């Protein structure tokens, strides 16, 4: 087993990826293995009994959106009767921020990796405030989701068809030169996304009032591009999965209870440990006592070499997650110590356009004691509340130690 050669193969596939946003469709029609009774969620597998508050809240909202329940009590009864199945988004070539809940009727972005031929999917971003992805399911949240499903998604899908798709690798590269890191900060990327779609949205036959609503979605939502960016990273990293001998991490994800990683040369196994509470800044009236442990598939951005790995590009974000611009640059520099290469497509201006650190190597993580850095939002620990802050977190070292032990057993 030549680990270094296997890791170079994995890195080559990551760098060669060409993720293109090609359209929008219904999860049931597109996501492999999706079914009416199946709900996809963020992170590694987990049963209802161990689910955190925000994940439970998002599932309750998802069941109401699907018309399978009208109240929280009815939704919980459905689950307890065994009428609902749960599986990770990652088992279905999909990703979702925070709770990551994706149900059969929800619209999803379609990302096609034209270098490897694989696809990945992500639901739509709802914007700020009380939203399903943070476990809120009030009527205000559900009305927003119905508008996304019935108005926004079809319009965006038709605009993408008219545009012939959007090159996500080019979009990510551009946003990294404009102050984004692609995870917690997507202000520039969302502006680019809206600008590229706007001429086509103007020609899809929307009424003036509806067109204004759709354009306002992009104007008001600095996270609009996060979900297709995540799916682009998912399509990129899935292409590097399954290389015998490779110790490169292809997935990091959290379900609000457990943190899990998957490694290229170790098949579909998850290596998990308890998720921790992020360190960060809280909205007025909230503190760390309100916070749920880390949750979401958005760590696919760090897995692909952006997010906290590109912190040097986003000094403005430190005011939101805590820290200084110098610490942001230091954060990126530290990640070069645990990765197998750099991505020249994602040059970082503050580092003289050095490529982002790419391809986390479990051997280097364990040897150096340096775990990956992650930028993240913070959800309230109770269902139905929503976001209470944003901050930084690191995965448990135990995930990488377990994976390394499994790799050693495979080699003997």
């Amino acid at each position: 087993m030549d680990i270094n050669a296997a890791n170079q193969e994995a890195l080559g596939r990551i760098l060669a990826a060409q993720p293109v946003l090609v359209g929008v469709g219904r999860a049931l029609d597109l996501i492999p293995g999706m079914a009416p009774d199946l709900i996809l969620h963020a992170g590694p597998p987990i049963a209802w009994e161990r689910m955190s508050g925000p994940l439970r809240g998002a599932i309750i909202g998802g069941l109401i959106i699907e018309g399978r329940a009208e109240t929280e009590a009815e939704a919980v009864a459905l689950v307890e009767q065994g009428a609902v199945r749960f599986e990770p988004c990652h088992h279905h070539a999909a990703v979702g921020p925070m709770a990551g809940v994706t149900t059969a009727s929800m619209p999803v972005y379609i990302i096609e990796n034209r270098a490897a031929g694989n696809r990945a999917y992500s639901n739509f971003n709802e914007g700020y405030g009380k939203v399903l992805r943070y476990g809120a399911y009030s009527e205000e949240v559900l009305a927003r989701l119905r508008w996304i499903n019935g108005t926004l998604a079809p319009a965006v899908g038709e605009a993408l068809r008219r545009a012939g798709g959007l090159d996500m690798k080019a979009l990510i590269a551009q946003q990294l030169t404009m102050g984004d890191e692609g995870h917690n900060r997507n202000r520039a990327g969302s502006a680019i996304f809206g600008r590229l779609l706007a001429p086509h949205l103007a020609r899809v036959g929307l009424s003036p009032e509806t067109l204004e609503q759709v354009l306002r979605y992009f104007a008001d939502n600095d996270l609009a591009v996060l979900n297709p960016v995540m799916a682009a990273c998912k399509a990129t990293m899935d292409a590097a999965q399954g290389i015998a001998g490779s110790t490169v991490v292809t997935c990091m994800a959290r379900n609000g209870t457990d943190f899990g990683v998957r490694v290229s040369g170790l098949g579909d196994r998850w290596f998990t440990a308890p998720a921790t509470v992020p360190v960060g800044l809280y909205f007025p009236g909230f503190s760390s006592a309100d916070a749920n442990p880390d949750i979401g598939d958005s760590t696919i951005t760090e897995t692909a070499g952006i997010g906290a790995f590109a912190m040097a590009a986003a000094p403005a974000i430190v005011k939101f997650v805590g820290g200084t611009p110098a610490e942001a640059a230091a954060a990126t520099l530290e990640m070069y110590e645990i990765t197998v290469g750099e991505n020249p497509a994602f040059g970082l201006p503050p580092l003289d356009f050095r490529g982002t650190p790419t391809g986390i190597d479990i051997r280097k993580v364990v040897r150096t004691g340096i775990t990956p850095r992650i930028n993240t939002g913070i959800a309230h620990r109770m269902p139905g509340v929503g976001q209470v802050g944003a901050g930084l977190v690191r995965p448990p070292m135990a995930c990488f130690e377990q994976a390394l032990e499994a790799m050693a057993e495979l080699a003997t």
Side-chain angles (χ1 to χ4, degrees), residues 77-410:
L78 272 177
V79 172
E80 293 179 345
Q81 290 164 10
V84 184
R85 293 185 296 130
F86 303 111
E87 292 181 7
C89 294
H90 274 288
H91 289 190
H92 296 265
V95 282
M98 303 309 292
V101 161
T102 304
T103 58
S105 69
M106 285 184 177
V108 291
Y109 289 109
I110 309 164
I111 295 285
E112 185 174 285
N113 178 0
R114 291 184 172 168
N118 62 307
R119 284 187 166 190
Y121 309 89
S122 180
N123 53 11
F124 273 62
N125 194 282
E126 307 156 72
Y128 298 99
K130 288 191 174 182
V131 288
L132 189 79
R133 70 179 184 275
Y134 279 95
Y137 54 89
S138 64
E139 185 50 42
E140 171 191 359
V141 174
L142 300 176
R144 180 75 164 166
L145 285 169
R146 293 186 182 105
W147 178 79
I148 290 173
N149 293 1
T151 301
L152 176 68
V156 171
E158 177 59 18
L160 284 168
R161 189 189 67 78
R162 286 174 171 271
L166 294 183
D167 182 341
M168 293 302 298
K169 191 170 188 175
L171 189 154
I172 293 169
Q174 189 173 359
Q175 70 176 130
L176 294 181
T177 67
M178 298 172 67
D180 285 354
E181 39 74 92
H183 185 171
N184 267 19
R185 183 180 168 91
N186 280 283
R187 177 169 294 183
S190 295
I192 298 167
F193 191 30
R195 185 184 72 178
L196 292 173
L197 288 179
H200 304 285
L201 286 168
R203 300 182 65 85
V204 301
L206 301 175
S207 69
E209 293 77 14
T210 302
L211 178 60
E212 178 187 1
Q213 293 171 359
V214 170
L215 293 178
R216 187 162 297 284
Y217 166 85
F218 289 101
D220 293 345
N221 184 3
D222 288 341
L223 293 174
V225 82
L226 170 63
N227 297 42
V229 165
M230 288 174 55
C233 291
K234 173 65 174 170
T236 296
M237 298 312 299
D238 275 0
Q241 178 65 17
I243 300 172
S246 174
T247 54
V248 168
V249 174
T250 52
C251 168
M252 297 190 293
R254 322 81 100 195
N255 56 34
T257 302
D258 301 318
F259 195 112
V261 304
R262 300 167 93 176
V263 177
S264 175
L266 292 172
D268 293 333
R269 291 179 60 182
W270 287 93
F271 300 92
T272 64
T276 55
V277 174
V279 176
L281 300 180
Y282 288 84
F283 299 157
F286 296 103
S287 71
S288 59
D290 301 302
N292 194 78
D294 198 22
I295 184 170
D297 286 335
S298 53
T299 36
I300 193 67
T301 56
E302 279 83 8
T303 314
I306 60 173
F309 283 46
M311 278 284 280
I317 198 174
V318 298
K319 293 181 67 176
F320 192 51
V321 299
T324 66
E327 289 171 343
T332 293
L333 292 172
E334 185 186 45
M335 295 299 95
Y336 289 110
E337 297 187 40
I338 59 170
T339 46
V340 297
E342 302 175 11
N343 191 341
F346 298 153
L348 301 172
L351 300 182
D352 198 21
F353 287 93
R354 185 177 180 182
T356 54
T358 302
I360 301 164
D361 186 343
I362 58 172
R363 299 175 304 167
K364 293 185 177 183
V365 172
V366 174
R367 177 173 57 80
T368 63
I370 299 172
T371 48
R373 291 176 177 265
I374 295 166
N375 294 341
T376 188
I378 305 174
H380 198 283
R381 59 186 174 83
M382 299 300 293
V385 179
Q387 185 176 9
V388 296
L392 307 170
V393 72
R394 292 190 190 246
M397 178 61 83
C399 298
F400 301 92
E401 292 172 339
Q402 293 169 25
L404 190 58
E405 290 171 2
M407 186 62 73
E409 292 173 1
L410 203 61

Side-chain angles (χ1 to χ4, degrees), residues 50-77:
R50 295 187 65 242
M51 286 183 185
S52 63
L55 182 50
R56 286 190 174 206
I59 286 171
I60 290 167
L63 288 169
I64 295 174
I65 279 290
E66 289 298 310
R68 299 188 63 193
E70 293 185 358
T71 65
E72 173 186 344
E74 289 183 10
V76 172

